[in-house]
Amino acid sequence: MTLRLYDLAAADPDRRFSPYCWRTRLALAHKALPVETIPWRFTEKAEIAASGQGFVPVLVDGDRWLSDSWKIANYLEDTFPDRPSLFGGAAGRSLTRYYSTFADGLVAAIFPFVALDILERVADKDRDYFRASREKRVGMTLETFVAGREAKLPAFRVGLTALRRTLTAQPFLAGDEPLYADYAVFGPFQWARCISPFELLEKDDPVRLWRDRLLDRFGGLARKSPAYDV
Ligand SMILES: N[C@@H](CCC(=O)N[C@@H](CS)C(=O)NCC(=O)O)C(=O)O
């Protein structure tokens, strides 16, 4: 039975922009598992109610409804053990949890650069919900939150130093070939380029070159998705 994935979409249903859904999509591709992706909007909570919560990714495997990208990655690893491993063993699984958590922090670090760009591109029916829920979260208007973003860029880029040094020494976080740790960290960068024309990474930044290598994986799965050339 084909797997189904509820995947966050903008007004344009082909513009998929969730950092968490991108992790899952690359994990499914890594395991060579075909998936039907279903465009989902923030306010379509009823469509994923069977998962018992209101966030995507939601993966449907037969009568099983799974949520949370980390749980889904573990489910895929355990359910399809004969397919290429996402973690590279038990120690790899534990270490990957750190990368996944680190990547959650990247989502928060990138949000001040892209918050208004998201607002402009979400479906009409999502706009009020997105503004209200995010302004409550950040404690100010999105306009104030994003103001002067260029000035915040140098500190953001310095914050990527450990990532940059690692990716200067080796092509992927997992070594010569990517594993889920790479997909987890890639998600926030793919989120940004799918929803915002703001240039987060300099063209010759090793982090950007690594991101671009991942864009080309799986027949260009992530590169083919609507995005900005930044
Ligand atoms: N911990 C979750 C986070 C998922 C998440 O935050 N998803 C966002 C989309 S990027 C969402 O569905 N938000 C719904 C909302 O804000 O109502 C995971 O790793 O899957």
Side-chain angles (χ1 to χ4, degrees), residues 140-167:
M140 63 188 89
T141 66
L142 293 182
E143 284 77 3
T144 305
F145 187 56
V146 166
R149 60 182 173 172
E150 284 79 10
K152 297 173 194 156
L153 204 46
F156 169 76
R157 289 176 175 168
V158 167
L160 301 177
T161 300
L163 204 52
R164 186 171 298 116
R165 285 195 185 151
T166 305
L167 293 167

mmCIF file of all heavy atoms in Angstrom, residues 140-167:
data_model
loop_
_atom_site.group_PDB
_atom_site.id
_atom_site.type_symbol
_atom_site.label_atom_id
_atom_site.label_comp_id
_atom_site.label_asym_id
_atom_site.label_seq_id
_atom_site.Cartn_x
_atom_site.Cartn_y
_atom_site.Cartn_z
ATOM 1 N N MET A 140 5.375 39.854 19.413
ATOM 2 C CA MET A 140 5.386 41.161 18.710
ATOM 3 C C MET A 140 4.791 40.944 17.327
ATOM 4 O O MET A 140 4.561 39.793 16.921
ATOM 5 C CB MET A 140 6.810 41.720 18.617
ATOM 6 C CG MET A 140 7.762 40.875 17.822
ATOM 7 S SD MET A 140 9.482 41.460 17.922
ATOM 8 C CE MET A 140 10.057 40.577 19.362
ATOM 9 N N THR A 141 4.581 42.054 16.610
ATOM 10 C CA THR A 141 4.077 41.883 15.244
ATOM 11 C C THR A 141 5.176 41.245 14.386
ATOM 12 O O THR A 141 6.379 41.387 14.676
ATOM 13 C CB THR A 141 3.690 43.236 14.600
ATOM 14 O OG1 THR A 141 4.878 44.004 14.438
ATOM 15 C CG2 THR A 141 2.668 43.988 15.454
ATOM 16 N N LEU A 142 4.760 40.577 13.331
ATOM 17 C CA LEU A 142 5.759 39.951 12.453
ATOM 18 C C LEU A 142 6.610 41.019 11.771
ATOM 19 O O LEU A 142 7.801 40.794 11.519
ATOM 20 C CB LEU A 142 5.068 39.050 11.421
ATOM 21 C CG LEU A 142 4.384 37.807 12.002
ATOM 22 C CD1 LEU A 142 3.774 36.963 10.895
ATOM 23 C CD2 LEU A 142 5.343 36.960 12.838
ATOM 24 N N GLU A 143 6.010 42.187 11.516
ATOM 25 C CA GLU A 143 6.778 43.276 10.903
ATOM 26 C C GLU A 143 7.936 43.693 11.817
ATOM 27 O O GLU A 143 9.078 43.862 11.373
ATOM 28 C CB GLU A 143 5.862 44.478 10.619
ATOM 29 C CG GLU A 143 4.951 44.308 9.411
ATOM 30 C CD GLU A 143 3.742 43.403 9.689
ATOM 31 O OE1 GLU A 143 3.571 42.939 10.843
ATOM 32 O OE2 GLU A 143 2.970 43.143 8.741
ATOM 33 N N THR A 144 7.647 43.851 13.114
ATOM 34 C CA THR A 144 8.697 44.224 14.073
ATOM 35 C C THR A 144 9.722 43.099 14.197
ATOM 36 O O THR A 144 10.935 43.341 14.259
ATOM 37 C CB THR A 144 8.062 44.510 15.456
ATOM 38 O OG1 THR A 144 7.058 45.496 15.284
ATOM 39 C CG2 THR A 144 9.093 44.975 16.461
ATOM 40 N N PHE A 145 9.232 41.897 14.215
ATOM 41 C CA PHE A 145 10.096 40.721 14.379
ATOM 42 C C PHE A 145 11.152 40.623 13.263
ATOM 43 O O PHE A 145 12.305 40.258 13.501
ATOM 44 C CB PHE A 145 9.203 39.479 14.388
ATOM 45 C CG PHE A 145 9.896 38.185 14.702
ATOM 46 C CD1 PHE A 145 10.616 38.020 15.876
ATOM 47 C CD2 PHE A 145 9.798 37.105 13.826
ATOM 48 C CE1 PHE A 145 11.240 36.816 16.171
ATOM 49 C CE2 PHE A 145 10.407 35.905 14.115
ATOM 50 C CZ PHE A 145 11.137 35.753 15.282
ATOM 51 N N VAL A 146 10.734 40.967 12.052
ATOM 52 C CA VAL A 146 11.604 40.790 10.889
ATOM 53 C C VAL A 146 12.422 42.062 10.578
ATOM 54 O O VAL A 146 13.429 41.998 9.863
ATOM 55 C CB VAL A 146 10.734 40.354 9.676
ATOM 56 C CG1 VAL A 146 11.478 40.464 8.365
ATOM 57 C CG2 VAL A 146 10.226 38.935 9.886
ATOM 58 N N ALA A 147 12.030 43.187 11.166
ATOM 59 C CA ALA A 147 12.691 44.467 10.847
ATOM 60 C C ALA A 147 14.200 44.384 11.061
ATOM 61 O O ALA A 147 14.666 43.803 12.036
ATOM 62 C CB ALA A 147 12.098 45.579 11.709
ATOM 63 N N GLY A 148 14.952 44.935 10.133
ATOM 64 C CA GLY A 148 16.420 44.974 10.247
ATOM 65 C C GLY A 148 17.056 43.612 10.134
ATOM 66 O O GLY A 148 18.116 43.342 10.712
ATOM 67 N N ARG A 149 16.471 42.727 9.344
ATOM 68 C CA ARG A 149 16.995 41.357 9.292
ATOM 69 C C ARG A 149 18.419 41.293 8.718
ATOM 70 O O ARG A 149 19.185 40.417 9.097
ATOM 71 C CB ARG A 149 16.039 40.429 8.534
ATOM 72 C CG ARG A 149 15.770 40.811 7.103
ATOM 73 C CD ARG A 149 14.770 39.847 6.463
ATOM 74 N NE ARG A 149 14.392 40.308 5.130
ATOM 75 C CZ ARG A 149 13.664 39.606 4.279
ATOM 76 N NH1 ARG A 149 13.226 38.400 4.612
ATOM 77 N NH2 ARG A 149 13.367 40.078 3.086
ATOM 78 N N GLU A 150 18.752 42.204 7.796
ATOM 79 C CA GLU A 150 20.113 42.170 7.218
ATOM 80 C C GLU A 150 21.168 42.286 8.327
ATOM 81 O O GLU A 150 22.209 41.635 8.273
ATOM 82 C CB GLU A 150 20.327 43.304 6.213
ATOM 83 C CG GLU A 150 19.672 43.092 4.861
ATOM 84 C CD GLU A 150 18.191 43.396 4.891
ATOM 85 O OE1 GLU A 150 17.729 43.962 5.924
ATOM 86 O OE2 GLU A 150 17.493 43.066 3.926
ATOM 87 N N ALA A 151 20.858 43.113 9.326
ATOM 88 C CA ALA A 151 21.825 43.352 10.398
ATOM 89 C C ALA A 151 22.032 42.099 11.261
ATOM 90 O O ALA A 151 23.066 41.952 11.914
ATOM 91 C CB ALA A 151 21.354 44.513 11.270
ATOM 92 N N LYS A 152 21.040 41.205 11.241
ATOM 93 C CA LYS A 152 21.148 39.989 12.069
ATOM 94 C C LYS A 152 21.873 38.857 11.330
ATOM 95 O O LYS A 152 22.195 37.824 11.910
ATOM 96 C CB LYS A 152 19.746 39.500 12.462
ATOM 97 C CG LYS A 152 18.972 40.484 13.311
ATOM 98 C CD LYS A 152 17.540 39.984 13.505
ATOM 99 C CE LYS A 152 16.640 41.087 14.040
ATOM 100 N NZ LYS A 152 15.224 40.866 13.737
ATOM 101 N N LEU A 153 22.100 39.072 10.043
ATOM 102 C CA LEU A 153 22.660 37.993 9.219
ATOM 103 C C LEU A 153 24.079 37.571 9.628
ATOM 104 O O LEU A 153 24.359 36.368 9.718
ATOM 105 C CB LEU A 153 22.621 38.438 7.749
ATOM 106 C CG LEU A 153 22.601 37.379 6.663
ATOM 107 C CD1 LEU A 153 21.610 36.264 6.946
ATOM 108 C CD2 LEU A 153 22.304 38.048 5.326
ATOM 109 N N PRO A 154 24.994 38.525 9.882
ATOM 110 C CA PRO A 154 26.359 38.100 10.251
ATOM 111 C C PRO A 154 26.367 37.184 11.483
ATOM 112 O O PRO A 154 27.068 36.152 11.475
ATOM 113 C CB PRO A 154 27.076 39.427 10.542
ATOM 114 C CG PRO A 154 26.336 40.434 9.713
ATOM 115 C CD PRO A 154 24.900 39.991 9.730
ATOM 116 N N ALA A 155 25.593 37.498 12.492
ATOM 117 C CA ALA A 155 25.579 36.654 13.697
ATOM 118 C C ALA A 155 25.003 35.275 13.382
ATOM 119 O O ALA A 155 25.490 34.248 13.885
ATOM 120 C CB ALA A 155 24.765 37.334 14.804
ATOM 121 N N PHE A 156 23.978 35.248 12.539
ATOM 122 C CA PHE A 156 23.409 33.957 12.149
ATOM 123 C C PHE A 156 24.476 33.103 11.451
ATOM 124 O O PHE A 156 24.643 31.916 11.753
ATOM 125 C CB PHE A 156 22.197 34.162 11.226
ATOM 126 C CG PHE A 156 21.725 32.890 10.586
ATOM 127 C CD1 PHE A 156 21.005 31.959 11.328
ATOM 128 C CD2 PHE A 156 22.027 32.599 9.259
ATOM 129 C CE1 PHE A 156 20.585 30.755 10.742
ATOM 130 C CE2 PHE A 156 21.618 31.415 8.678
ATOM 131 C CZ PHE A 156 20.886 30.497 9.419
ATOM 132 N N ARG A 157 25.198 33.740 10.534
ATOM 133 C CA ARG A 157 26.209 32.983 9.775
ATOM 134 C C ARG A 157 27.352 32.513 10.680
ATOM 135 O O ARG A 157 27.847 31.384 10.522
ATOM 136 C CB ARG A 157 26.742 33.832 8.621
ATOM 137 C CG ARG A 157 25.685 33.993 7.515
ATOM 138 C CD ARG A 157 26.145 34.917 6.411
ATOM 139 N NE ARG A 157 25.177 34.964 5.320
ATOM 140 C CZ ARG A 157 25.202 35.862 4.338
ATOM 141 N NH1 ARG A 157 26.139 36.790 4.308
ATOM 142 N NH2 ARG A 157 24.290 35.834 3.382
ATOM 143 N N VAL A 158 27.745 33.328 11.632
ATOM 144 C CA VAL A 158 28.781 32.905 12.587
ATOM 145 C C VAL A 158 28.283 31.695 13.382
ATOM 146 O O VAL A 158 29.037 30.765 13.685
ATOM 147 C CB VAL A 158 29.167 34.072 13.525
ATOM 148 C CG1 VAL A 158 30.000 33.574 14.704
ATOM 149 C CG2 VAL A 158 29.945 35.140 12.766
ATOM 150 N N GLY A 159 26.999 31.676 13.658
ATOM 151 C CA GLY A 159 26.405 30.551 14.412
ATOM 152 C C GLY A 159 26.496 29.223 13.682
ATOM 153 O O GLY A 159 26.304 28.170 14.290
ATOM 154 N N LEU A 160 26.801 29.280 12.389
ATOM 155 C CA LEU A 160 26.905 28.040 11.606
ATOM 156 C C LEU A 160 28.341 27.522 11.523
ATOM 157 O O LEU A 160 28.636 26.619 10.738
ATOM 158 C CB LEU A 160 26.383 28.281 10.184
ATOM 159 C CG LEU A 160 24.931 28.761 10.043
ATOM 160 C CD1 LEU A 160 24.605 29.031 8.570
ATOM 161 C CD2 LEU A 160 23.954 27.730 10.609
ATOM 162 N N THR A 161 29.232 28.096 12.348
ATOM 163 C CA THR A 161 30.661 27.776 12.211
ATOM 164 C C THR A 161 30.955 26.279 12.354
ATOM 165 O O THR A 161 31.700 25.701 11.543
ATOM 166 C CB THR A 161 31.483 28.583 13.241
ATOM 167 O OG1 THR A 161 31.264 29.969 12.999
ATOM 168 C CG2 THR A 161 32.967 28.284 13.121
ATOM 169 N N ALA A 162 30.370 25.629 13.339
ATOM 170 C CA ALA A 162 30.664 24.201 13.551
ATOM 171 C C ALA A 162 30.193 23.378 12.358
ATOM 172 O O ALA A 162 30.892 22.460 11.890
ATOM 173 C CB ALA A 162 30.000 23.713 14.840
ATOM 174 N N LEU A 163 29.020 23.739 11.853
ATOM 175 C CA LEU A 163 28.475 23.064 10.677
ATOM 176 C C LEU A 163 29.410 23.284 9.484
ATOM 177 O O LEU A 163 29.754 22.353 8.745
ATOM 178 C CB LEU A 163 27.103 23.696 10.397
ATOM 179 C CG LEU A 163 26.042 22.937 9.636
ATOM 180 C CD1 LEU A 163 25.814 21.565 10.238
ATOM 181 C CD2 LEU A 163 24.741 23.749 9.664
ATOM 182 N N ARG A 164 29.832 24.523 9.320
ATOM 183 C CA ARG A 164 30.692 24.902 8.191
ATOM 184 C C ARG A 164 32.023 24.153 8.248
ATOM 185 O O ARG A 164 32.501 23.628 7.241
ATOM 186 C CB ARG A 164 30.906 26.421 8.225
ATOM 187 C CG ARG A 164 31.652 26.993 7.047
ATOM 188 C CD ARG A 164 31.616 28.515 7.085
ATOM 189 N NE ARG A 164 30.263 29.038 6.990
ATOM 190 C CZ ARG A 164 29.641 29.740 7.945
ATOM 191 N NH1 ARG A 164 30.261 30.021 9.082
ATOM 192 N NH2 ARG A 164 28.410 30.157 7.786
ATOM 193 N N ARG A 165 32.619 24.097 9.424
ATOM 194 C CA ARG A 165 33.921 23.418 9.546
ATOM 195 C C ARG A 165 33.778 21.939 9.224
ATOM 196 O O ARG A 165 34.620 21.341 8.566
ATOM 197 C CB ARG A 165 34.485 23.603 10.951
ATOM 198 C CG ARG A 165 35.012 24.997 11.136
ATOM 199 C CD ARG A 165 35.890 25.118 12.364
ATOM 200 N NE ARG A 165 36.254 26.516 12.549
ATOM 201 C CZ ARG A 165 36.520 27.087 13.698
ATOM 202 N NH1 ARG A 165 36.482 26.376 14.810
ATOM 203 N NH2 ARG A 165 36.840 28.348 13.762
ATOM 204 N N THR A 166 32.709 21.346 9.726
ATOM 205 C CA THR A 166 32.482 19.923 9.465
ATOM 206 C C THR A 166 32.314 19.678 7.974
ATOM 207 O O THR A 166 32.894 18.748 7.400
ATOM 208 C CB THR A 166 31.219 19.452 10.224
ATOM 209 O OG1 THR A 166 31.377 19.768 11.600
ATOM 210 C CG2 THR A 166 30.991 17.968 10.060
ATOM 211 N N LEU A 167 31.533 20.557 7.320
ATOM 212 C CA LEU A 167 31.216 20.342 5.913
ATOM 213 C C LEU A 167 32.328 20.813 4.981
ATOM 214 O O LEU A 167 32.261 20.606 3.774
ATOM 215 C CB LEU A 167 29.885 21.027 5.584
ATOM 216 C CG LEU A 167 28.705 20.362 6.311
ATOM 217 C CD1 LEU A 167 27.463 21.228 6.227
ATOM 218 C CD2 LEU A 167 28.436 18.964 5.772
#
